[in-house]
């Protein structure tokens, strides 16, 4: 079954369809990871986007739900160079095609993904639509140029009600802006007693739970579209230790007076080098974000730059100068990896323990 991807700049890619037979539009992005397509397509941070995999062979090890980062994928489409319809792996439960059909997500294979990636890199963000080859491309191009995408992605992917993952250690309130399950797994592995709450939970409600620490999760979209979360962080900072990841990193920065802006085509992959300024150590990290904290905006804040991206110098980590709060743009919980920055969860636990001791001494 032939399908096409139509881009707002007039480019059209024709290939073979798989997954759901459905017309879907979205921001077309690319991910450079060589493995982890299950985790990528189930990452809530991709909500509403059409994801292109740059690695040419996808689907060869099938689908296993234990590898998912959310209950239900939120992507609007999945594009690959070569789709393998007959996976072979001892853990597979179903094929990628079967999953996408069940979740009503269209797939497109057999196109020049390298050319598509270069177009996005050169042009920047592009709107696109996966549809039948019978559709008039010029009409679609005009529609895409006028299209504005929804800005309520966090509302779509956040939990609708709180839930508890019991543990014997530090009590952590995990604010779900589109949380990857890997964050919860890392906290549980450290015996944390975790309460996951919706993105719009107030500071008063969070403090009422008497947490030892606050975890601000990853999530999709523009951080300025979640003003209530920024206000919540302003009320909490200095009262409870905070650790932010990805969108949580951007929201913490905004709450402290910094600004954010949209990247030309974003950072999405599992092979991005990040430098820790204090030691010079390089970590290879997984990333998935379209926005960044503006470096120059940090000058008027109490935030200290701790990590930068080796490739383009963008902000990758921050620490508050006076309060127990830090954050990173990348994903230390990355699954299937890399795990270079996994120790940041240990630092968070240490921060909570230190704050508890200092409170007792006072």
């Amino acid at each position: 079954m032939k399908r096409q991807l139509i881009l707002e700049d007039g480019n059209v890619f024709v290939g073979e369809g798989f997954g759901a037979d459905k017309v879907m539009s979205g921001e077309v992005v690319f991910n450079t990871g060589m493995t982890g397509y299950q985790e990528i397509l189930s990452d809530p941070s991709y909500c509403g986007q059409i994801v292109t995999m740059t690695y040419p062979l996808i689907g060869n090890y099938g689908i296993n739900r234990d590898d998912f980062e959310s209950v239900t994928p939120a992507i609007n489409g999945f594009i690959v160079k070569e789709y393998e319809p007959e996976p072979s792996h001892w853990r597979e439960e179903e094929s990628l095609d079967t999953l996408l059909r069940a979740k009503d997500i269209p797939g497109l294979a057999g196109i020049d993904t390298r050319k598509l990636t270069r177009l996005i890199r050169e042009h920047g963000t592009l709107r696109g639509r996966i549809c039948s080859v019978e559709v008039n491309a010029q009409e679609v191009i005009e529609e895409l140029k006028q299209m504005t995408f929804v800005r309520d992605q966090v509302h779509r992917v956040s939990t609708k009600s709180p839930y508890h993952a019991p543990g014997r250690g530090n009590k952590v309130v995990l604010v779900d802006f589109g949380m990857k399950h890997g964050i919860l797994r890392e906290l549980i592995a450290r015996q944390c007693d975790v309460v996951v709450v919706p993105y719009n939970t107030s500071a008063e409600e969070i403090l009422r739970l008497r947490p030892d620490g606050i975890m601000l999760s990853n999530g999709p979209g523009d951080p300025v579209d979640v003003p209530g979360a920024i206000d919540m962080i302003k009320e909490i900072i200095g009262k409870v230790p905070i650790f932010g990841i990805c969108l949580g990193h951007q929201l913490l920065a905004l709450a402290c007076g910094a600004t954010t802006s949209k990247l030309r085509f974003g950072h999405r992959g599992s092979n991005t080098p990040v430098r820790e300024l204090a030691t010079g150590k390089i970590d290879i990290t997984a990333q998935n974000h379209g926005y960044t904290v503006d470096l120059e905006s940090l000058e008027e804040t109490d935030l200290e730059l701790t990590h930068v991206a080796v490739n383009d110098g963008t902000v990758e980590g921050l620490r508050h100068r006076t309060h127990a709060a830090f954050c990173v743009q990348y994903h230390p919980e990355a699954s299937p990896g890399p795990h270079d920055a996994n120790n940041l969860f240990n630092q968070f636990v240490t921060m909570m323990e230190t704050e508890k001791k200092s409170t007792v001494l006072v």
Side-chain angles (χ1 to χ4, degrees), residues 33-194:
M34 294 177 66
T35 61
Y37 61 81
Q38 298 177 95
E39 293 85 350
I40 291 164
L41 67 88
S42 62
D43 181 350
S45 294
Y46 285 109
C47 178
Q49 295 177 325
I50 296 174
V51 181
T52 303
M53 299 300 297
T54 63
Y55 187 71
L57 178 60
I58 301 296
N60 52 312
Y61 52 84
I63 294 293
N64 184 298
R65 293 307 182 97
D66 288 343
D67 297 326
F68 269 39
E69 291 291 345
S70 64
V71 174
T72 300
I75 62 172
N76 278 13
F78 204 51
I79 299 174
V80 303
K81 170 63 176 175
E82 181 181 346
Y83 166 65
E84 175 50 64
E86 297 181 6
S88 178
H89 194 278
W90 67 275
R91 293 178 68 247
E92 72 165 278
E93 297 173 348
E94 60 183 336
S95 69
L96 174 58
D97 176 70
T98 301
L99 172 79
L100 295 184
R101 288 178 184 273
K103 298 301 180 183
D104 216 20
I105 299 169
L108 179 64
I111 71 165
D112 188 344
T113 52
R114 183 173 182 176
K115 178 181 178 181
L116 175 57
T117 300
R118 288 174 66 91
L119 281 173
I120 297 171
R121 283 178 58 89
E122 292 167 3
H123 180 280
T125 299
L126 282 167
R127 299 176 179 85
R129 179 175 298 171
I130 297 176
C131 57
S132 165
V133 292
E134 298 175 1
V135 172
N136 184 292
Q138 194 55 49
E139 292 180 1
V140 172
I141 291 167
E142 295 305 315
E143 290 179 23
L144 290 172
K145 288 178 179 178
Q146 302 301 318
M147 183 175 293
T148 57
F149 295 118
V150 295
R151 302 179 71 97
D152 65 343
Q153 297 103 314
V154 171
H155 173 75
R156 292 185 179 195
V157 297
S158 175
T159 183
K160 300 301 181 282
S161 58
Y163 59 92
H164 187 202
R168 298 181 179 180
N170 294 285
K171 186 168 187 179
V172 176
V173 171
L174 173 47
V175 186
D176 179 10
F177 299 110
M179 174 195 71
K180 290 171 63 179
H181 286 172
I183 296 175
L184 183 57
R185 288 194 296 267
E186 292 295 340
L187 293 172
I188 291 172
R190 289 160 177 79
Q191 305 301 314
C192 292
D193 183 36
V194 185

